[in-house]
Amino acid sequence: MTADAVLTPTPGASAPAPTRGRRFSLPVLLLAIAGALVALAAVRTLTGANDLTSNGAVRAALQSAIPIGLAGLGGLWAERAGVVNIGLEGQLIFGTWFGAWAGYHWGPWVGVLAAIAGGALGGLLHALATVTFGVDHIVSGVAITILAGGVARYLSQLAFKGLPGGGVTQSPPVPELPRWSVPGVSSLDGLERKHWFLLSDLAGILRGALTEVSALTVIAALLVPLTFWVLWRTPFGLRLRSCGENPKAAESLGVNVYRYKYYGVVISGALAGLGGAFLSMVASTIYREGQTGGRGYIGLAAMIFGNWRPGGLASGALLFGYTDALQLRGGSKSVHALLLFLALLLLAVGVWQLVRRRLAVGAIAVVVALLVGVWYATTDSIPGEFVQAAPHITTLVVLALASQRLRMPAADGQRYRRGG
């Protein structure tokens, strides 16, 4: 029997039963989203922090979340193949530079392709070091990130210095990618400005999400279900995931583990490169040194929060992007109002855990919710340092809350040798 026959799902065969309590059903998930939206609308109404659901905040949140989500998707592909890709930050840097360079000379779509190729090149270097030569995954990833910063500065010296608006630390302005709007949504502006409970909030969210949307935003959104379909619904994805779970068993069935690890890491770099293109061609129309701002590492955090699955990863990226957008647009008032929303959210999580008889986790969540509520009630603002750190604190909080349900691929980060 061939490896294809063994590792191809049999039509009509029943799938293994999922672990109890690990996933939400679709109705429960939709109910949770609706509840969070109602709570957010209530907080906005009570506090007067209208930026919580404004179209500008939603648009800024998407703009912040897309590169994080693409980096996280890249990490997902690599780790499902068994390779930890700490080098995502460096591959983002390659994407920002190559996207701006090619976009300036040959147009934005060529820039996107060049960014993907630059990120894939960084992924290839990481695969060569970790898969072929057995270098520690963390050491290789950090080295690639350091290398990427140096290479980008050297190439900028050669390619951008002397051009109008260009220099050692930045590129000239890059042509923009097309933007699209859903017809009729922009007319909701009047409803949003009335600040009615829930209706105005929905209008603001729809306007922010469906007007002036960049083509790369649409592509990034489509890559989330595409990744799920490829990795969980195709023989190729099954073989790749088997390399991250049990490479020796995959090898015994005839899978070329080295090849599939290379596939995973190179695709990982390409996705991170696409995230870099978003930073230099959509979020900004120029490449700047230090533009990535640690988003590769935050993407890894979003991937872990999402339990190594595309849907959860997208949720984590949106959460970080939202808090980042609020601290940039609304400042102290919006982040202070977010404390009340966080208290309500933690209280709901605590009650849910208590109902499920997870008494320790539920009690901790309820106590923290009360403390956050007291903090909100006894203050009118929060320190500016906390405002700036809010996105990073959010990342730590959600990772702490999610830690008990996480399960990484069994062979993730382990050195593999054929026949070993």
Side-chain angles (χ1 to χ4, degrees), residues 58-72:
V58 173
R59 189 173 290 116
L62 285 174
Q63 190 164 280
S64 180
I66 293 300
I68 294 170
L70 287 170

Side-chain angles (χ1 to χ4, degrees), residues 48-379:
N50 294 321
D51 247 339
L52 287 178
T53 56
S54 69
N55 74 90
V58 173
R59 189 173 290 116
L62 285 174
Q63 190 164 280
S64 180
I66 293 300
I68 294 170
L70 287 170
L73 272 183
L76 174 69
W77 275 87
E79 298 208 12
R80 282 295 177 178
V83 178
V84 176
N85 191 359
I86 294 292
L88 286 169
E89 181 74 9
Q91 291 146 21
L92 275 172
I93 294 173
F94 282 134
T96 58
W97 194 91
F98 281 102
W101 170 70
Y104 173 76
H105 289 289
W106 299 291
W109 288 113
V110 176
V112 170
L113 294 176
I116 293 172
L121 177 61
L124 182 62
L125 288 174
H126 188 51
L128 183 67
T130 57
V131 179
T132 301
F133 294 107
V135 176
D136 182 86
H137 298 190
I138 307 300
V139 172
S140 172
V142 171
I144 287 173
T145 299
I146 296 172
L147 174 68
V151 168
R153 175 173 272 263
Y154 174 73
L155 292 176
S156 295
Q157 173 82 20
L158 297 177
F160 296 148
K161 193 174 181 180
L163 294 177
V168 178
T169 60
Q170 69 178 45
S171 73
V174 182
E176 289 192 49
L177 287 160
R179 291 179 179 269
W180 303 313
S181 297
V182 175
V185 176
S186 58
S187 63
L188 297 174
D189 179 40
L191 178 59
E192 181 185 355
R193 291 183 180 181
K194 292 183 184 298
H195 302 308
W196 290 344
F197 173 72
L198 194 58
L199 292 177
S200 295
D201 300 288
L202 288 172
I205 291 171
L206 289 175
R207 288 187 65 223
L210 301 178
T211 60
E212 294 297 314
V213 179
S214 168
L216 270 192
T217 301
V218 177
I219 292 171
L222 293 175
L223 283 171
V224 174
L226 179 63
T227 292
F228 174 80
W229 179 76
V230 171
L231 289 181
W232 275 271
R233 293 293 184 267
T234 67
F236 172 84
L238 179 60
R239 295 185 197 103
L240 186 141
R241 287 187 295 115
S242 71
C243 296
E245 294 291 346
N246 194 331
K248 297 187 187 306
E251 177 191 349
S252 71
L253 295 172
V255 175
N256 189 326
V257 176
Y258 288 121
R259 181 189 301 169
Y260 277 88
K261 284 181 178 288
Y262 264 86
Y263 288 156
V265 181
V266 171
I267 292 172
S268 171
L271 289 168
L274 185 61
F278 188 94
L279 286 172
S280 61
M281 301 176 69
V282 178
S284 171
T285 57
I286 196 171
Y287 159 79
R288 286 192 181 89
E289 191 172 75
Q291 195 169 30
T292 56
R295 287 176 175 85
Y297 303 113
I298 299 168
L300 279 177
M303 177 201 67
I304 296 170
F305 168 72
N307 205 9
W308 288 265
R309 297 183 72 87
L313 180 159
S315 301
L318 286 171
L319 180 61
F320 184 91
Y322 180 68
T323 53
D324 191 32
L326 283 185
Q327 67 94 8
L328 289 174
R329 286 181 53 85
S332 178
K333 181 178 181 180
S334 293
V335 178
H336 184 254
L338 203 60
L339 288 177
L340 180 57
F341 177 72
L342 179 61
L344 294 175
L345 185 63
L346 287 171
L347 183 61
V349 170
V351 172
W352 173 256
Q353 296 293 346
L354 291 173
V355 169
R356 301 181 69 192
R357 298 176 184 261
R358 295 180 178 177
L359 301 182
V361 177
I364 292 173
V366 170
V367 170
V368 174
L370 293 175
L371 291 175
V372 173
V374 170
W375 183 10
Y376 170 79
T378 56
T379 58

